[in-house]
Amino acid sequence: MQEFFMDYGLWLLVALLVIIALVFLLSGKRKAEQPVEPAAPPAPVAAPIAAPPPTPTPFVDPIIAAPVAAAPVVVEPVAPVVPTEPVVPVTSVDPIVEPEPIPVSPAVAAVTDEPDDLLRLKGVGPKLKALLVELGVTRYAQVAAWGDADIAAIDAKLGNFKGRPVRDQWVDQAKYLAAGDIAGFEAKYGKL
């Protein structure tokens, strides 16, 4: 029940306010539409005391003031401000610091050949591939050599993709692809 009010509480409050406003507006119209009945004269009092009739207030003509002319506004020209020192345009406020690639495992050194296509790993898309490349992961052999500590270190840096290395079994997939066993990979994980 509490979740219901958390999810729909604002809408319920708005609906309640709209209903109250409608009732208020409609009740005001009904009162305006009803004819006003003249009040019954009060019952005479046994001995009325004669009060003097109220004196009307005399009508006084309003006093109209003479129009006042606005004083003309004088705008004096302002001399442009010339800087005394030359202005040097700022090209960059802070230099952008590129993160260093993280060595994933000391057992696997970075290979200088072309990087492997990490998109072949099931569960790795273009954004995740770019994130892995930023972290220094470019080869299947690197992923295949990951231990539990390496997986935990990489997983902590994956942000929204946290948990994917274990859930999608990247280490096992990478072992097949690093060994070139495409048939074994396809038998277990499906067609590439």
Side-chain angles (χ1 to χ4, degrees), residues 46-148:
I49 300 176
T55 56
T57 56
F59 179 73
V60 179
D61 287 334
I63 300 174
I64 300 175
V68 178
V73 178
V74 178
V75 179
E76 296 180 17
V78 178
V81 178
V82 179
T84 56
E85 296 178 16
V87 177
V88 179
V90 178
T91 56
S92 174
V93 176
D94 290 329
I96 298 174
V97 179
E98 294 292 327
E100 274 186 38
I102 300 171
V104 177
S105 176
V108 179
V111 181
T112 58
D113 296 340
E114 284 187 32
D116 291 329
D117 184 15
L118 297 177
L119 292 174
R120 296 178 83 183
L121 291 171
K122 301 292 182 178
V124 176
K127 289 182 181 180
L128 194 52
K129 176 187 174 187
L131 184 59
L132 288 172
V133 169
E134 279 183 29
L135 295 173
V137 179
T138 58
R139 309 285 299 172
Y140 298 133
Q142 287 176 295
V143 178
W146 283 355
D148 291 338

Side-chain angles (χ1 to χ4, degrees), residues 9-29:
L10 180 61
W11 290 109
L12 290 172
L13 181 63
V14 169
L16 181 65
L17 291 174
V18 168
I19 290 171
I20 291 172
L22 287 174
V23 168
F24 178 74
L25 291 174
L26 292 177
S27 67
K29 283 187 177 181

